[in-house]
Amino acid sequence: MSGSVNRKTAFKNLKKKGFVDSNHNSIDHKYLVFCHDGKVICTTKVSHSGKDITGGLLNAMAKQIHLSKQDFIAASCTIEQDESVELLRQGKHL
Amino acid sequence: MAKPDLIKGIYIKLDGELGQYKSIPIDKLVEIAQSFQQLIIALAKIKIKHEEFDADNFTIELCDLKKGSIAPAFKFSERPATLSIIGNHQEQRSAVNSELNKILNVANKGDYGKLKVIYANPEIRNELVPALYEFVEVFEDTPVKIGSFSGKKFVSGKKISKFKDEVYSRLVGAKPKSRRKKAVYDEVAGVVQINRSTGKTKVKKYFAKEQSSLSYTVNKLVLNGLLTKFNFPLTVPVFIDEEKKYLIDCAPLNIYVVADDMESAQKEFNADFEHVHALIFHVPDDELGNTMKKAKQFLHLYLSL
């Protein structure tokens, strides 16, 4: 598994996993919010421009949505929404 | 108009930032002198027959330093100890000086590709081009002219134009081996003493990067369009990672920022804070997950009256 995620792919896949656009955005970033069972669980953001998400930024996004770096890469690439929710439940973030 | 003459003395006139103080840093002068010396030796090697070549005959010395920007001058050494008994050093120097003028004309027009025509033999180009490239690069972005002085007037100045890497590659079939060192800066935390009467500052001590932990303190922000003062300042740690990125971690608010510099990191933190505030500050607890509930409590600590 490589240590980088394409920014657009991550954005698209996070939305597939249940993240929705926040009503509040900045000039540089698009904020995403994850809700479950009517509760706001976490939020993260994806830059409007730039290269792939790597290094410190990958760690930061993973921390924000309470996943390990590896799980975050998987969540923004392959794993299903149910699995993402289960990971959050295991981490007692729900 | 007289050509630049290394027997009488050649002036290298440095303008721009390097020359504006009418002085020159010692290490820069040494760099210029060394690269110029290497260029002269390279020219001598290609011009003088192998059996008659003696590098000592082509030693140059600093012979003057004119102000009005700054212009150090170099000429062939006249010290007897530097003159070898092989060959006629005066004829040899004259030949090298002519060769120098030839390449100064090329540098003046910046037409370094022409060296392929002037020096059709690749072995000769391999000798000359790296030395010339290094000499040109030593000046970095400083505007440079090479010439002489007539009284106080600088004359017959040949400009030293930039030597592009791709031209270098075409001439010698390889990329330049060494580039000028770019200034590399480290940012450190320190203690600065400020003189109240004069306003002068002095760094009393600073901490190496490994020892230092930077921080960012914020005590007011624009939230929902209103400048909002915090109950007390919020200080968050800032780290610099191995990729020189600035990281701000504020776990209680679930804010993690990564930016290229401190200013961007602070700006991004403020935007994230504003977002979290807008998202959860007025939301009932039973509509928040555990992390967001804690973040809301944290926000209320700083913002509720």
mmCIF file with all atom_site columns, all heavy atoms in Angstrom, chain A residues 7 31 46 51 60 67 73-74 80 83 90:
data_model
loop_
_atom_site.group_PDB
_atom_site.id
_atom_site.type_symbol
_atom_site.label_atom_id
_atom_site.label_alt_id
_atom_site.label_comp_id
_atom_site.label_asym_id
_atom_site.label_entity_id
_atom_site.label_seq_id
_atom_site.pdbx_PDB_ins_code
_atom_site.Cartn_x
_atom_site.Cartn_y
_atom_site.Cartn_z
_atom_site.occupancy
_atom_site.B_iso_or_equiv
_atom_site.pdbx_formal_charge
_atom_site.auth_seq_id
_atom_site.auth_comp_id
_atom_site.auth_asym_id
_atom_site.auth_atom_id
_atom_site.pdbx_PDB_model_num
ATOM 1  N N   . ARG A 1 7  ? -5.734  13.350 -4.270 1.00 0.00 ? 7  ARG A N   1
ATOM 2  C CA  . ARG A 1 7  ? -6.630  14.281 -3.583 1.00 0.00 ? 7  ARG A CA  1
ATOM 3  C C   . ARG A 1 7  ? -8.082  14.171 -4.060 1.00 0.00 ? 7  ARG A C   1
ATOM 4  O O   . ARG A 1 7  ? -9.017  14.098 -3.273 1.00 0.00 ? 7  ARG A O   1
ATOM 5  C CB  . ARG A 1 7  ? -6.100  15.707 -3.843 1.00 0.00 ? 7  ARG A CB  1
ATOM 6  C CG  . ARG A 1 7  ? -6.608  16.753 -2.923 1.00 0.00 ? 7  ARG A CG  1
ATOM 7  C CD  . ARG A 1 7  ? -5.864  18.030 -3.181 1.00 0.00 ? 7  ARG A CD  1
ATOM 8  N NE  . ARG A 1 7  ? -4.464  17.894 -2.808 1.00 0.00 ? 7  ARG A NE  1
ATOM 9  C CZ  . ARG A 1 7  ? -3.990  18.196 -1.600 1.00 0.00 ? 7  ARG A CZ  1
ATOM 10 N NH1 . ARG A 1 7  ? -4.802  18.655 -0.669 1.00 0.00 ? 7  ARG A NH1 1
ATOM 11 N NH2 . ARG A 1 7  ? -2.717  18.052 -1.320 1.00 0.00 ? 7  ARG A NH2 1
ATOM 12 N N   . TYR A 1 31 ? -14.556 21.592 3.256  1.00 0.00 ? 31 TYR A N   1
ATOM 13 C CA  . TYR A 1 31 ? -14.729 20.820 4.486  1.00 0.00 ? 31 TYR A CA  1
ATOM 14 C C   . TYR A 1 31 ? -15.764 19.717 4.283  1.00 0.00 ? 31 TYR A C   1
ATOM 15 O O   . TYR A 1 31 ? -16.771 19.914 3.586  1.00 0.00 ? 31 TYR A O   1
ATOM 16 C CB  . TYR A 1 31 ? -15.172 21.731 5.634  1.00 0.00 ? 31 TYR A CB  1
ATOM 17 C CG  . TYR A 1 31 ? -14.060 22.613 6.142  1.00 0.00 ? 31 TYR A CG  1
ATOM 18 C CD1 . TYR A 1 31 ? -13.969 23.942 5.763  1.00 0.00 ? 31 TYR A CD1 1
ATOM 19 C CD2 . TYR A 1 31 ? -13.094 22.105 7.007  1.00 0.00 ? 31 TYR A CD2 1
ATOM 20 C CE1 . TYR A 1 31 ? -12.937 24.757 6.224  1.00 0.00 ? 31 TYR A CE1 1
ATOM 21 C CE2 . TYR A 1 31 ? -12.061 22.914 7.479  1.00 0.00 ? 31 TYR A CE2 1
ATOM 22 C CZ  . TYR A 1 31 ? -11.997 24.228 7.080  1.00 0.00 ? 31 TYR A CZ  1
ATOM 23 O OH  . TYR A 1 31 ? -10.977 25.027 7.548  1.00 0.00 ? 31 TYR A OH  1
ATOM 24 N N   . VAL A 1 46 ? -10.345 18.849 2.477  1.00 0.00 ? 46 VAL A N   1
ATOM 25 C CA  . VAL A 1 46 ? -9.500  18.516 1.335  1.00 0.00 ? 46 VAL A CA  1
ATOM 26 C C   . VAL A 1 46 ? -9.209  19.817 0.603  1.00 0.00 ? 46 VAL A C   1
ATOM 27 O O   . VAL A 1 46 ? -10.115 20.616 0.361  1.00 0.00 ? 46 VAL A O   1
ATOM 28 C CB  . VAL A 1 46 ? -10.201 17.503 0.381  1.00 0.00 ? 46 VAL A CB  1
ATOM 29 C CG1 . VAL A 1 46 ? -9.310  17.166 -0.804 1.00 0.00 ? 46 VAL A CG1 1
ATOM 30 C CG2 . VAL A 1 46 ? -10.581 16.235 1.137  1.00 0.00 ? 46 VAL A CG2 1
ATOM 31 N N   . LYS A 1 51 ? -0.981  18.639 -4.768 1.00 0.00 ? 51 LYS A N   1
ATOM 32 C CA  . LYS A 1 51 ? -0.587  17.308 -5.208 1.00 0.00 ? 51 LYS A CA  1
ATOM 33 C C   . LYS A 1 51 ? -1.334  16.243 -4.397 1.00 0.00 ? 51 LYS A C   1
ATOM 34 O O   . LYS A 1 51 ? -2.290  16.537 -3.708 1.00 0.00 ? 51 LYS A O   1
ATOM 35 C CB  . LYS A 1 51 ? 0.918   17.144 -5.034 1.00 0.00 ? 51 LYS A CB  1
ATOM 36 C CG  . LYS A 1 51 ? 1.715   18.096 -5.888 1.00 0.00 ? 51 LYS A CG  1
ATOM 37 C CD  . LYS A 1 51 ? 3.177   18.000 -5.509 1.00 0.00 ? 51 LYS A CD  1
ATOM 38 C CE  . LYS A 1 51 ? 3.963   19.102 -6.212 1.00 0.00 ? 51 LYS A CE  1
ATOM 39 N NZ  . LYS A 1 51 ? 5.312   19.227 -5.680 1.00 0.00 ? 51 LYS A NZ  1
ATOM 40 N N   . ALA A 1 60 ? -2.529  13.788 9.370  1.00 0.00 ? 60 ALA A N   1
ATOM 41 C CA  . ALA A 1 60 ? -3.470  14.755 9.939  1.00 0.00 ? 60 ALA A CA  1
ATOM 42 C C   . ALA A 1 60 ? -4.904  14.372 9.596  1.00 0.00 ? 60 ALA A C   1
ATOM 43 O O   . ALA A 1 60 ? -5.779  14.372 10.468 1.00 0.00 ? 60 ALA A O   1
ATOM 44 C CB  . ALA A 1 60 ? -3.153  16.157 9.415  1.00 0.00 ? 60 ALA A CB  1
ATOM 45 N N   . LEU A 1 67 ? -8.852  7.415  12.220 1.00 0.00 ? 67 LEU A N   1
ATOM 46 C CA  . LEU A 1 67 ? -8.376  6.175  11.626 1.00 0.00 ? 67 LEU A CA  1
ATOM 47 C C   . LEU A 1 67 ? -6.858  6.163  11.655 1.00 0.00 ? 67 LEU A C   1
ATOM 48 O O   . LEU A 1 67 ? -6.228  7.217  11.739 1.00 0.00 ? 67 LEU A O   1
ATOM 49 C CB  . LEU A 1 67 ? -8.844  6.062  10.158 1.00 0.00 ? 67 LEU A CB  1
ATOM 50 C CG  . LEU A 1 67 ? -10.352 5.964  9.907  1.00 0.00 ? 67 LEU A CG  1
ATOM 51 C CD1 . LEU A 1 67 ? -10.619 5.931  8.409  1.00 0.00 ? 67 LEU A CD1 1
ATOM 52 C CD2 . LEU A 1 67 ? -10.942 4.718  10.550 1.00 0.00 ? 67 LEU A CD2 1
ATOM 53 N N   . ILE A 1 73 ? -5.985  5.378  4.309  1.00 0.00 ? 73 ILE A N   1
ATOM 54 C CA  . ILE A 1 73 ? -5.695  5.152  2.884  1.00 0.00 ? 73 ILE A CA  1
ATOM 55 C C   . ILE A 1 73 ? -6.733  4.177  2.316  1.00 0.00 ? 73 ILE A C   1
ATOM 56 O O   . ILE A 1 73 ? -7.281  4.398  1.237  1.00 0.00 ? 73 ILE A O   1
ATOM 57 C CB  . ILE A 1 73 ? -4.257  4.620  2.688  1.00 0.00 ? 73 ILE A CB  1
ATOM 58 C CG1 . ILE A 1 73 ? -3.248  5.713  3.078  1.00 0.00 ? 73 ILE A CG1 1
ATOM 59 C CG2 . ILE A 1 73 ? -4.020  4.207  1.237  1.00 0.00 ? 73 ILE A CG2 1
ATOM 60 C CD1 . ILE A 1 73 ? -1.810  5.239  3.153  1.00 0.00 ? 73 ILE A CD1 1
ATOM 61 N N   . ALA A 1 74 ? -7.020  3.140  3.098  1.00 0.00 ? 74 ALA A N   1
ATOM 62 C CA  . ALA A 1 74 ? -8.013  2.163  2.637  1.00 0.00 ? 74 ALA A CA  1
ATOM 63 C C   . ALA A 1 74 ? -9.389  2.821  2.528  1.00 0.00 ? 74 ALA A C   1
ATOM 64 O O   . ALA A 1 74 ? -10.101 2.636  1.542  1.00 0.00 ? 74 ALA A O   1
ATOM 65 C CB  . ALA A 1 74 ? -8.059  0.979  3.608  1.00 0.00 ? 74 ALA A CB  1
ATOM 66 N N   . GLU A 1 80 ? -15.445 -0.317 2.401  1.00 0.00 ? 80 GLU A N   1
ATOM 67 C CA  . GLU A 1 80 ? -16.842 0.123  2.314  1.00 0.00 ? 80 GLU A CA  1
ATOM 68 C C   . GLU A 1 80 ? -17.224 0.984  3.512  1.00 0.00 ? 80 GLU A C   1
ATOM 69 O O   . GLU A 1 80 ? -16.557 0.977  4.539  1.00 0.00 ? 80 GLU A O   1
ATOM 70 C CB  . GLU A 1 80 ? -17.759 -1.110 2.236  1.00 0.00 ? 80 GLU A CB  1
ATOM 71 C CG  . GLU A 1 80 ? -17.550 -1.968 0.993  1.00 0.00 ? 80 GLU A CG  1
ATOM 72 C CD  . GLU A 1 80 ? -17.743 -1.179 -0.300 1.00 0.00 ? 80 GLU A CD  1
ATOM 73 O OE1 . GLU A 1 80 ? -18.672 -0.356 -0.385 1.00 0.00 ? 80 GLU A OE1 1
ATOM 74 O OE2 . GLU A 1 80 ? -16.949 -1.382 -1.223 1.00 0.00 ? 80 GLU A OE2 1
ATOM 75 N N   . GLU A 1 83 ? -17.583 -0.760 6.908  1.00 0.00 ? 83 GLU A N   1
ATOM 76 C CA  . GLU A 1 83 ? -16.296 -1.059 7.559  1.00 0.00 ? 83 GLU A CA  1
ATOM 77 C C   . GLU A 1 83 ? -15.730 0.193  8.214  1.00 0.00 ? 83 GLU A C   1
ATOM 78 O O   . GLU A 1 83 ? -15.171 0.136  9.315  1.00 0.00 ? 83 GLU A O   1
ATOM 79 C CB  . GLU A 1 83 ? -15.288 -1.602 6.534  1.00 0.00 ? 83 GLU A CB  1
ATOM 80 C CG  . GLU A 1 83 ? -15.612 -2.992 6.028  1.00 0.00 ? 83 GLU A CG  1
ATOM 81 C CD  . GLU A 1 83 ? -14.636 -3.401 4.948  1.00 0.00 ? 83 GLU A CD  1
ATOM 82 O OE1 . GLU A 1 83 ? -13.479 -3.695 5.280  1.00 0.00 ? 83 GLU A OE1 1
ATOM 83 O OE2 . GLU A 1 83 ? -15.031 -3.383 3.767  1.00 0.00 ? 83 GLU A OE2 1
ATOM 84 N N   . GLN A 1 90 ? -15.223 0.930  16.919 1.00 0.00 ? 90 GLN A N   1
ATOM 85 C CA  . GLN A 1 90 ? -14.158 0.288  17.708 1.00 0.00 ? 90 GLN A CA  1
ATOM 86 C C   . GLN A 1 90 ? -13.330 1.331  18.466 1.00 0.00 ? 90 GLN A C   1
ATOM 87 O O   . GLN A 1 90 ? -12.869 1.105  19.565 1.00 0.00 ? 90 GLN A O   1
ATOM 88 C CB  . GLN A 1 90 ? -13.255 -0.541 16.801 1.00 0.00 ? 90 GLN A CB  1
ATOM 89 C CG  . GLN A 1 90 ? -13.890 -1.861 16.358 1.00 0.00 ? 90 GLN A CG  1
ATOM 90 C CD  . GLN A 1 90 ? -13.086 -2.525 15.252 1.00 0.00 ? 90 GLN A CD  1
ATOM 91 O OE1 . GLN A 1 90 ? -11.956 -2.162 14.992 1.00 0.00 ? 90 GLN A OE1 1
ATOM 92 N NE2 . GLN A 1 90 ? -13.709 -3.504 14.589 1.00 0.00 ? 90 GLN A NE2 1
#
